[in-house]
Amino acid sequence: MKKLIVMLLALLPSLVMAAGAKVPLDAANNDLSDKASLQRGAKTFMNYCFGCHATQYQRYERVATDIGIPTELMKEHLIFDPNAKIGDLMTNAIPTEYAAVSFGAPAPDLTLVARVRGTDWLYTYLRAFYADPSRPFGVNNVVFPSVGMPHVLEELQGVPTKVYETRLVDGVEVQEYVGIESDGTGELNAEEYDEVVRDLVNFLEYSAEPVKLERQRLGLWVMGFIAVFFVLTLLLKKEYWRDVH
């Protein structure tokens, strides 16, 4: 028992660091029924994320079918490996050892990241990068400090910086962090960038549970089935016990 406690105490600092900074999370407001959003999110993921991050528990064909992309278009525009087939799992070509050396740790698989982290966390995280020359890739992240990932969407957002406001606390001026602001060199304005991130998070939420909408739909039928038979059971019980009472 003592050994277990010692091990947990030893792991506590790393667990705290992995949790990231305690910052307010913005609502992603995803809509899994919006197939256009899912298609845009898939395009962003494959063009900006898939080079390092796989979704190895998905198949190209299943994704195409679920979000309404014709198979031929999927093969032509979203499968970059010339040797990959439409029925293959969505694995990328970067070796684990190379990723570990380049980024300090292997790039994690993102199939289930939305279930592990939550959609609001992902939405806030992808909009929380800021320029930090002290970091290896020149950026840091408010939500996940000292993250070992470059800001892959910088060409869309522009160079982001932290924004502070000065306020008085007990008569003393303090700098309070209020958000991230782009320098305007990106391809998109702030609202457009937020929509791109929302579409990407929407796709990652779908990836984490492709049958979520179907599960919810079937759940309503199951609850209705139970409700009907609950009423029938009560009526049957009253009928059986009528003479007893």
Side-chain angles (χ1 to χ4, degrees):
M1 184 65 180
K2 287 185 178 179
K3 288 184 178 180
L4 178 60
I5 294 174
V6 171
M7 290 175 63
L8 290 174
L9 289 174
L11 287 172
L12 185 59
S14 61
L15 293 174
V16 171
M17 289 183 66
K22 297 295 183 182
V23 298
L25 300 180
D26 300 325
N29 296 322
N30 289 344
D31 181 4
L32 290 175
S33 65
D34 186 349
K35 289 194 174 182
S37 171
L38 292 173
Q39 291 166 9
R40 293 191 299 267
K43 176 185 174 183
T44 301
F45 177 81
M46 297 303 293
N47 281 279
Y48 290 95
C49 308
F50 193 65
C52 296
H53 297 281
T55 51
Q56 61 182 330
Y57 304 108
Q58 290 184 288
R59 295 185 185 274
Y60 294 106
E61 187 172 24
R62 171 65 187 270
V63 170
T65 300
D66 284 350
I67 67 177
I69 299 177
T71 301
E72 291 305 315
L73 288 180
M74 184 76 176
K75 290 192 290 187
E76 183 178 354
H77 297 290
L78 295 181
I79 300 180
F80 303 130
D81 181 357
N83 298 316
K85 298 183 174 122
I86 190 68
D88 287 350
L89 294 169
M90 296 173 64
T91 56
N92 56 14
I94 185 170
T96 303
E97 297 78 9
Y98 179 81
V101 172
S102 301
F103 305 114
D109 183 273
L110 296 185
T111 313
L112 300 175
V113 68
R115 297 191 71 176
V116 175
R117 291 290 191 177
T119 55
D120 291 348
W121 189 94
L122 286 174
Y123 179 65
T124 308
Y125 165 73
L126 291 170
R127 295 160 50 253
F129 282 92
Y130 64 92
D132 182 355
S134 68
R135 297 295 301 156
F137 294 105
V139 291
N140 210 327
N141 193 283
V142 176
V143 176
F144 198 151
S146 300
V147 64
M149 170 180 160
H151 184 24
V152 295
L153 300 177
E154 186 173 310
E155 71 172 11
L156 300 180
Q157 183 185 22
V159 179
T161 56
K162 275 183 171 181
V163 178
Y164 293 90
E165 285 183 355
T166 303
R167 66 187 185 94
L168 288 175
V169 178
D170 297 329
V172 180
E173 289 188 351
V174 296
Q175 295 290 313
E176 184 180 60
Y177 166 76
V178 294
I180 299 291
E181 187 175 272
S182 169
D183 66 350
T185 59
E187 297 176 8
L188 309 174
N189 61 37
E191 292 76 17
E192 291 169 337
Y193 179 72
D194 287 350
E195 281 303 309
V196 167
V197 173
R198 181 172 286 108
D199 291 337
L200 175 57
V201 173
N202 202 21
F203 174 73
L204 290 174
E205 183 180 6
Y206 152 76
S207 299
E209 191 177 0
V211 296
K212 184 175 183 178
L213 292 181
E214 181 67 10
R215 172 176 59 78
Q216 292 173 343
R217 186 186 68 81
L218 289 176
L220 293 175
W221 282 100
V222 170
M223 294 302 295
F225 177 87
I226 292 174
V228 169
F229 274 84
F230 178 72
V231 173
L232 293 177
T233 302
L234 286 178
L235 294 175
L236 185 62
K237 182 259 184 186
K238 290 180 64 175
E239 181 66 26
Y240 272 118
W241 286 82
R242 179 190 300 174
D243 297 333
V244 175
H245 295 295

